[in-house]
Amino acid sequence: CPYGLDRTTKEGDAKNSNDVNVLKGTGSHRSYVKDFKNAEDFIAFLTAAVKDRSGPEMKQFYIYLQDCFANADQDLDGLVGPKEFDSLVDEAAAAPRIFGFAPTTEQLYMNEAERLAARLELFKTIDTAGRGLIAFPEFLCWAMEHIRAKTSRGAKQWQSGVGMLSLIQPSSAEEFVEFLKA
């Protein structure tokens, strides 16, 4: 992970667990990520965060994601399992949803079973060690790559559709071909 958080040793995981537990219950008020007034400023913030890992935008985004993770960690072990991950995704997506950059669960999934199945598959892609649990560094790496992909091709507001088919949102035939190749 390019964010300097590739601690896979038990000692590193234990330290990260303690760091997250200290933050439990603090809410996302430590960060101003949800306080943007318009979509352009929000996208500029995210673009700056993924460009400069030591900049103030990355520090604020890190705090936001850390707070989301801590709030989802219901058993206070510094790790998130598949059930906790569902709420983590919802909380982390709250900021982009304000400006229409992420769909609501109702827009994306036809029912709860579809949502939980899709979130479990996403969880498995983040849980590269296959432990059935993810630590904050794993979530951070995934989230930052996700944001980088969105901002690098020009973040667009979500267009409503039906279920998973609404993920396909090309603006041109060429973009659709690129989507199919990926």
Side-chain angles (χ1 to χ4, degrees), residues 154-176:
K156 297 176 185 146
Q157 291 185 326
W158 180 256
Q159 298 168 354
S160 202
V162 177
M164 294 298 283
L165 290 177
S166 57
L167 288 174
I168 306 170
Q169 298 187 28
S171 59
S172 68
E174 293 81 20
E175 190 175 315
F176 181 69

